[in-house]
Amino acid sequence: MKTRSQDILHGPEWANVRALYKAGGYTDKELKRPVIGIVSSFNTICPGHVIFRQMTQRVREGIQAAGGMPVEFGTIGACDGIAMGHKGMRYILPTREMIANDIEAMAQAHRLDGLVLLGACDKIVPGMLMAAVRLNLPAVLVNGGPSLPGRMKENNPYGGEYIDHSIIQQSEGALKAGLIDEEQFAWIEDHAVPTIGSCAMLGTANTMGCLAEAMGLMLPGTATIPAVYSQRLAAAYQSGTAVMELVKQNLCPRDIITKQALSNAVRVNSAIGGSTNAVLHLLAVAYEAGVDFSVFEIGEICKDIPHMTPMIPAGKYTLLDFYEAGGIPAMMKELEPFLAMEQKTCTGKTLRDNLLHAKKYNGEVIRSLEDPVHRRAGIGILKGNLAPEGAVTKPSAIPDEALYFSGPAKIYEGEEEALAGIRAGQVQAGQVLVIRNEGPKGGPGMPEMYKAMKLLVGMDLGGKVCVVTDGRFSGSNNGCFVGHICPEAAEDGPIAYLQDGDIITVDVQSGLIEAPEVNFEKRRADSPYQYRRQVNGYLYQYAKNVKNASHGAVIPVCEETETTALIPFR
């Protein structure tokens, strides 16, 4: 089998390359095998990534057993939870592009033949998916798995017996409102996150792991295995053997991640009630794959798929419950009438073949199409004079009484100002809290308005105040919220011209977001928007080049024309 690594490993003219590998302990026999990169985001900052030191060893063993030569390298993996609510959050979404670029550079510089990608947490998995389809080398992704949840049976705000990291910020609001005391607050801090792994609820980290599996680039049933379970190491080994089979078949990511596979992922995300951030990431993966896919198509696809799994923050269950109920294979089996079943996957088989033996073990955790948690979709795309290029919301996490919300605007120029206003009691029930200049360009970096929403929920205002922003939200947020307003304020979008007291109407079920009485063109002509943050370093380059949220917040990687289709590297 001729592989591209042999272009620089065969013949006397490439003795210098072989010598460098031999300096690292590789043998002549190994240098005749396909060279497979093991990409890991291991670090000891983010608890979702600690497991990768063990997992990379198991992947290495799987590759070797299947006849490959494994080589390892690392990439960054920042923790959203640690970066939340301060200037560091502006760097989190931009790391997605950094990760994709890192992997591209290493794979191309060393003519690797395939990749096993080990990532966890919010931007790492999508960054790796983007790299996989950009390079189009045989690849398998394996995530680090969710943490086990904490247990709190009494006064559990989610209604079950489990809690996770997201309860902590919500509890700050409850502490401020006098609903819990300092001792209870300290207990929650100490018991909410009992193990390593990505956060135990259905945040962006676990959402993207689930969607990578749904798209076929992760082995079936592996996305939801808890980080501390031995099966997680077995999945790493199996991923190492699987990539070698893909190399033999020359089955590449663009054969797997097609428009139909992306549509499958959108449907799964709606059914599980996944993160709003998935919209950004699926659009970015589509862009890198050369697939024409729009935010409004996502909205249309979602409409047919009800919310079927009540996981935190939209229910009482966790990823542990979902895993034990059958995970993504069981959910996809329920959705079979809506899915493109002939899609190829990283097993070398079709989705239909992969799901032949899928079983559901708990009908309360994974509901049926006939008996969903909510008839409404898990994700909604809105449009109107406030967001002519679209906005994103999460109907599954919005209280019934707040699905239609109309009220006067309370404007804040950024997250810090909004948090100070909420903590000072400036935000009242019935208002629409507008946080602007937090988009990809204006933030820059499109930080999450996680803390603002959590504080409001903890103060019992989650369904009584609607938060509207050109920033984004965490997958763990619940309450009434709309993010990804496009165009953003920094693009001179309508949100820049809202004023305190303007009536804003959000009609989730009709897909509408409007300020019906505002003439935005007149305001723009009368007083052009001036607000802009001064930034330097990487964020300067990011703000200068990034597209808006309805285009996936991507940084273009080729010259754009109407007929542009990215050409994969080979």
Side-chain angles (χ1 to χ4, degrees), residues 83-420:
M84 197 70 68
H86 57 85
K87 291 179 180 178
M89 177 48 71
R90 304 192 188 285
Y91 285 87
I92 293 295
L93 181 59
T95 65
R96 187 188 68 180
E97 268 60 28
M98 296 168 75
I99 290 164
N101 294 340
D102 273 1
I103 296 169
E104 175 197 334
M106 288 294 284
Q108 290 298 88
H110 304 103
R111 301 295 289 165
L112 303 182
D113 299 312
L115 297 166
V116 178
L117 306 155
L118 292 94
C121 300
D122 297 25
K123 311 307 167 290
I124 295 86
V125 169
M128 290 180 167
L129 289 170
M130 291 164 69
V133 291
R134 184 189 297 179
L135 288 160
N136 206 35
L137 299 173
V140 178
L141 191 144
V142 53
N143 65 336
S147 67
L148 295 182
R151 177 166 286 180
M152 188 175 85
K153 292 188 176 182
E154 294 184 14
N155 301 316
N156 188 316
Y158 301 118
E161 61 178 289
Y162 290 132
I163 57 174
D164 84 298
H165 176 264
S166 69
I167 196 177
I168 298 171
Q169 198 66 58
Q170 186 170 322
S171 297
E172 183 196 338
L175 179 68
K176 187 170 185 61
L179 302 175
I180 60 173
D181 59 28
E182 293 277 1
E183 184 179 353
Q184 290 170 304
F185 184 74
W187 186 93
I188 289 169
E189 178 184 331
D190 290 341
H191 293 86
V193 193
T195 74
I196 61 169
S198 49
C199 298
M201 83 303 186
L202 190 61
T204 308
N206 290 316
T207 294
M208 292 312 300
C210 288
L211 299 192
E213 182 181 326
M215 285 187 283
L217 212 69
M218 187 184 293
L219 294 180
T222 60
T224 57
I225 301 169
V228 294
Y229 279 21
S230 57
Q231 286 172 288
R232 177 56 56 198
L233 298 179
Y237 179 90
Q238 291 160 350
S239 297
T241 61
V243 76
M244 291 306 301
E245 188 59 37
L246 295 180
V247 171
K248 291 173 188 174
Q249 295 183 29
N250 194 30
L251 186 62
C252 298
R254 292 196 185 193
D255 302 319
I256 294 168
I257 299 183
T258 62
K259 186 157 189 171
Q260 290 74 25
L262 287 159
S263 298
N264 283 349
V266 170
R267 292 183 173 97
V268 169
N269 193 52
S270 185
I272 63 177
S275 171
T276 51
N277 287 318
V279 176
L280 276 179
H281 300 322
L282 291 175
L283 289 171
V285 171
Y287 168 76
E288 295 283 359
V291 173
D292 185 15
F293 206 47
S294 79
V295 69
F296 295 114
E297 283 183 271
I298 290 176
E300 287 301 312
I301 292 167
C302 286
K303 285 180 180 177
D304 294 330
I305 308 298
H307 175 219
M308 297 164 60
T309 300
M311 281 189 277
I312 295 173
K316 64 182 180 180
Y317 297 113
T318 67
L319 263 290
L320 176 63
D321 298 301
F322 187 54
Y323 167 70
E324 291 175 344
I328 289 299
M331 174 55 76
M332 294 188 84
K333 192 75 171 176
E334 291 291 330
L335 292 173
E336 187 170 345
F338 291 94
L339 301 179
M341 297 295 289
E342 303 310 317
Q343 286 297 294
K344 280 284 191 179
T345 71
C346 68
T347 64
K349 301 176 182 177
T350 66
L351 177 60
R352 186 181 303 281
D353 293 333
N354 289 349
L355 296 183
L356 280 176
H357 304 294
K359 291 184 68 174
K360 180 171 74 173
Y361 299 98
N362 187 326
E364 283 298 307
V365 177
I366 300 176
R367 307 279 281 270
S368 67
L369 285 163
E370 294 74 28
D371 181 33
V373 182
H374 299 111
R375 293 286 172 190
R376 57 186 181 267
I379 292 290
I381 306 299
L382 309 184
K383 187 179 183 180
N385 74 337
L386 186 52
E389 294 182 19
V392 181
T393 190
K394 188 173 181 178
S396 59
I398 299 176
D400 290 349
E401 64 273 15
L403 289 169
Y404 180 91
F405 198 105
S406 188
K410 178 69 174 175
I411 312 290
Y412 290 104
E413 300 288 357
E415 179 188 23
E416 294 87 350
E417 190 177 298
L419 290 173

Side-chain angles (χ1 to χ4, degrees), residues 541-554:
Q541 293 295 336
Y542 184 84
K544 185 177 178 181
N545 293 291
V546 70
K547 295 288 189 179
N548 72 25
S550 287
H551 291 88
V554 298

